[in-house]
């Protein structure tokens, strides 16, 4: 089945995400409000492109993949407006949500989004599903447990976690649907597009996770200075 092959072919790239310092720091309690706010601000700048990327993908799919276009319609209904949840979470933290809305992401997320638009437009539109593989797969494994640990450590209100807490459960359903879609792909070019895009997104999304500020990093920088 292609879904299993996809996971096998992207192990090394996935380890870049799982090896980010934040993955070890959260269970150890080595994070602060700045860490969480930074993650949310970067998430906003890729989540707001989810539906536009789906639409771009759907518009470029050939007739033989009409069944994929039909699936995208369901995805769009489920994903529309989720970026607003993130802004609400930021506001609940006391952050300037409007500044995030009108701001720009750091380079990894900017490059990730730009690369996906380009891959869909100039390459194979099935590349979009590489992003789905990375973000929903990572969310299932990490979103809910990490959100609960962050909430407990920082003693933040539950309303500051609508994005993470909702996506842990929601993405389980999406990922099962995604698996069934992937297992229907029999064209080798389509398969390679998903594999390659997964590797690229794992790298760039992982770079963002590696950039999340941590308190111990601040102390080391102060000692060096």
């Amino acid at each position: 089945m292609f879904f299993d092959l996809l996971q096998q072919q992207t192990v090394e790239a996935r380890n870049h995400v799982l090896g980010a310092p934040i993955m070890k720091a959260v269970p150890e309690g080595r994070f602060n409000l700045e860490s969480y706010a930074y993650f949310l601000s970067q998430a906003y700048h890729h989540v707001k492109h989810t539906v536009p990327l789906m639409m771009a993908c759907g518009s470029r799919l050939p007739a033989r993949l009409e069944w994929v276009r039909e699936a995208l319609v369901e995805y769009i209904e489920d994903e529309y407006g989720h970026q607003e949840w993130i802004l609400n979470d930021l506001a609940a933290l006391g952050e300037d949500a409007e500044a995030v809305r009108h701001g720009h992401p750091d380079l990894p997320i900017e490059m990730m989004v730009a690369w996906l638009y380009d891959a869909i437009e100039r390459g194979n539109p099935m590349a979009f599903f590489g992003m789905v593989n990375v973000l929903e797969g990572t969310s299932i494994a990490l979103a809910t447990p990490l959100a609960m640990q962050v909430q407990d450590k920082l003693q933040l209100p539950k309303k500051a976690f609508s994005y993470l807490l909702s996506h842990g459960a929601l993405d389980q359903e999406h990922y099962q649907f995604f698996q069934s879609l992937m297992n229907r792909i029999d064209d080798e070019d389509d398969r390679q597009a998903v594999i390659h895009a997964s590797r690229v997104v794992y790298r760039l999304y992982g770079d963002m996770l590696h950039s999340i500020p941590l308190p111990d990093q601040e102390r080391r920088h102060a000692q060096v200075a």
Side-chain angles (χ1 to χ4, degrees):
M1 295 295 230
F2 175 57
F3 176 79
D4 294 332
L5 177 64
L6 173 61
Q7 304 316 305
Q8 294 166 11
Q9 293 288 315
T10 56
V11 169
E12 184 176 349
R14 185 162 58 251
N15 286 339
H16 181 55
V17 166
L18 299 178
I22 190 66
M23 298 302 186
K24 186 177 181 181
V26 170
E28 294 176 354
R30 293 185 295 104
F31 59 90
N32 56 20
L33 188 61
E34 181 186 7
S35 309
Y36 182 46
Y38 177 85
F39 169 79
L40 287 178
S41 69
Q42 299 305 300
Y44 170 78
H45 287 292
H46 69 76
V47 171
K48 73 178 182 181
H49 288 282
T50 301
V51 169
L53 283 166
M54 288 179 185
M55 291 177 170
C57 174
S59 73
R60 298 283 297 169
L61 289 172
R64 65 181 176 81
L65 292 174
E66 187 63 34
W67 56 274
V68 178
R69 192 166 12 245
E70 180 182 5
L72 284 170
V73 173
E74 294 186 41
Y75 268 120
I76 288 171
E77 290 181 352
D78 283 346
E79 293 293 333
Y80 186 78
H82 288 192
Q83 70 273 14
E84 296 298 323
W85 297 359
I86 299 174
L87 294 181
N88 291 339
D89 290 347
L90 283 163
L93 299 179
E95 299 290 321
D96 188 343
E98 289 306 303
V100 173
R101 183 195 299 276
H102 298 293
H104 297 280
D106 282 353
L107 190 59
I109 295 302
E110 185 164 12
M111 292 299 296
M112 184 181 87
V113 171
W115 186 89
L116 286 163
Y117 278 115
D118 186 69
I120 289 169
E121 179 64 27
R122 296 196 305 116
N124 187 322
M126 290 297 285
F128 167 76
F129 290 95
M131 183 187 80
V132 179
N133 181 48
V134 173
L135 298 185
E136 293 197 350
T138 302
S139 177
I140 288 171
L142 301 171
T144 300
L146 290 183
M148 294 176 68
Q149 288 170 320
V150 172
Q151 183 182 18
D152 182 64
K153 166 77 165 25
L154 300 180
Q155 292 296 295
L156 295 169
K158 190 173 182 179
K159 65 180 181 179
F161 294 90
S162 59
Y163 172 66
L164 281 180
L165 290 177
S166 65
H167 275 64
L170 182 63
D171 286 345
Q172 288 185 20
E173 299 176 18
H174 286 179
Y175 208 53
Q176 290 173 357
F177 186 45
F178 171 74
Q179 289 180 40
S180 67
L181 283 178
M182 293 300 96
N183 285 332
R184 290 181 63 182
I185 299 175
D186 54 12
D187 182 87
E188 186 59 26
D189 287 342
D190 294 341
R191 289 183 168 193
Q192 289 304 315
V194 177
I195 290 171
H196 179 59
S198 293
R199 290 171 175 161
V200 171
V201 175
Y202 270 128
R203 178 68 202 191
L204 294 171
Y205 188 70
D207 285 351
M208 181 276 287
L209 294 177
H210 278 261
S211 299
I212 294 176
L214 299 173
D216 60 335
Q217 293 174 338
E218 294 169 5
R219 285 196 296 271
R220 286 201 299 269
H221 292 160
Q223 290 170 357
V224 169

